[in-house]
Amino acid sequence: MKSLALIPTYNEAENIRAIVEAVMAATDGDFHVLVIDDGSPDGTGQIADTLALEFAPRVHVLHREKKMGLGAAYVNGFKWGCARPEYTHFVQMDADFSHHPRYLPKMIEVMKRAPVVIGSRYVQGGGTLNWGIGRKILSRAGSIYSRLILGAPYRDFTAGFMGWEKNAILAMELDTLRSDGYSFQIELKYRAFLKNLTVEEFPIIFEDRKVGQSKMSQRIVIEALKRVWSFRLNRRKFLTNSVEAH
Ligand SMILES: Nc1nc2c(ncn2[C@@H]2O[C@H](COP(=O)(O)OP(=O)(O)OP(=O)(O)O)[C@@H](O)[C@H]2O)c(=O)[nH]1
Ligand SMILES: [Mg+2]
């Protein structure tokens, strides 16, 4: 039984070594990392290759030619992991320390009892550090809005720090996921809800990135919130597909 953390990167040269080292230190030999780099011009992919040699066989790198989006990077990463039977659990995490590796032991523990786990800012004990009031409101409102429209109970609907049992991720029908970034996180959670999977949230403190450039913007968040309606409207299609597929 091994776990694989998927870390998508685009221009994370300032973070990649530190994050991989921190994950290695926080976990044991059964916990591996897959860096999914989109041909970062700043050389992140080359640094990741060095780390793969240094920490072999615990660190792997998937190189994609160019920036093709966070959602697609995760889909590639999940497929890479699902094709390797030793991996039974997967973790999604950012490279910039917002999803701190110190939470991984807790994530692994919760994954033993729940097939889907959310590192959540909006359950008791969770929160955000160094966020302006605008971002706080947008993020909280995004979760409440998604919860109301989709009728699923998750407190942190846009969370990107998640754990998945292999069977749960296979039930997500990755090939039919089309969304990216924030909407990718919402769509995955909604599908877990439609599939009746048990989802457990545990508290994390989400810290804003200290170095490197943000790829997200308020525009992306607002775009995601529009897409929530299409998830809801297409839910029947998704459910029908899933019944046919099983
Ligand atoms: N492979 C790949 N990784 C990406 C892409 N876009 C973003 N990422 C990575 O996805 C993770 C989340 O992106 P961030 O830019 O940190 O997004 P955010 O956390 O919403 O915003 P900030 O923390 O404010 O920068 C980081 O590890 C990025 O390097 C992409 O197109 N391809
Ligand atoms: Mg970030």
Side-chain angles (χ1 to χ4, degrees):
M1 193 200 115
K2 284 194 172 69
S3 303
L4 183 70
L6 310 178
I7 307 186
T9 55
Y10 189 73
N11 285 347
E12 299 286 0
E14 290 164 288
N15 286 311
I16 189 66
R17 169 168 285 278
I19 192 80
V20 168
E21 285 178 350
V23 172
M24 295 291 100
T27 57
D28 65 19
D30 286 338
F31 197 94
H32 290 192
V33 163
L34 175 68
V35 176
I36 307 145
D37 184 66
D38 278 9
S40 297
D42 73 353
T44 304
Q46 285 72 31
I47 301 170
D49 284 336
T50 311
L51 292 162
L53 289 174
E54 237 173 86
F55 290 100
R58 292 181 66 197
V59 176
H60 308 271
V61 189
L62 188 59
H63 293 279
R64 308 196 319 154
E65 206 178 310
K66 56 177 182 6
K67 189 168 181 350
M68 288 181 279
L70 184 64
Y74 271 127
V75 169
N76 276 180
F78 281 130
K79 286 187 173 175
W80 188 98
C82 287
R84 289 163 173 77
E86 71 260 40
Y87 298 119
T88 56
H89 294 81
F90 300 100
V91 173
Q92 298 174 250
M93 66 188 287
D94 292 353
D96 60 4
F97 282 89
S98 290
H99 304 150
H100 204 283
R102 69 172 174 270
Y103 294 116
L104 288 171
K106 177 75 182 173
M107 174 85 86
I108 293 164
E109 183 196 316
V110 183
M111 279 198 295
K112 285 181 187 151
R113 57 174 188 259
V116 186
V117 179
I118 303 174
S120 177
R121 294 163 290 193
Y122 306 129
V123 291
Q124 192 162 21
T128 52
L129 259 187
N130 308 325
W131 269 20
I133 186 76
R135 201 163 171 196
K136 275 189 178 166
I137 291 172
L138 189 65
S139 172
R140 270 194 187 266
S143 271
I144 294 169
Y145 171 94
S146 303
R147 208 154 68 221
L148 288 176
I149 291 168
L150 300 175
Y154 315 129
R155 310 297 307 176
D156 193 345
F157 229 115
T158 60
F161 191 30
M162 292 192 67
W164 298 85
E165 205 174 76
K166 182 173 181 166
N167 281 338
I169 209 63
L170 290 173
M172 293 299 101
E173 300 176 26
L174 296 174
D175 285 327
T176 62
L177 281 164
R178 289 285 173 270
S179 54
D180 206 5
Y182 274 81
S183 48
F184 179 80
Q185 311 297 1
I186 298 171
E187 190 172 19
L188 270 184
K189 287 180 195 64
Y190 187 44
R191 287 189 178 193
F193 173 75
L194 293 175
K195 294 280 186 186
N196 265 322
L197 296 171
T198 302
V199 178
E200 184 171 330
E201 292 183 75
F202 74 94
I204 65 152
I205 304 289
F206 181 106
E207 265 183 73
D208 214 8
R209 70 160 66 239
K210 294 195 182 74
V211 288
Q213 260 199 343
S214 177
K215 283 110 225 160
M216 297 295 177
S217 65
Q218 295 211 345
R219 187 185 59 77
I220 294 176
V221 181
I222 289 161
E223 193 58 45
L225 299 183
K226 288 189 203 156
R227 294 211 53 180
V228 166
W229 286 101
S230 82
F231 300 154
R232 158 100 206 209
L233 294 170
N234 287 315
R235 73 188 184 285
R236 249 175 242 283
K237 194 170 113 214
F238 172 67
L239 280 171
T240 313
N241 282 345
S242 67
V243 170
E244 280 165 7
H246 285 280

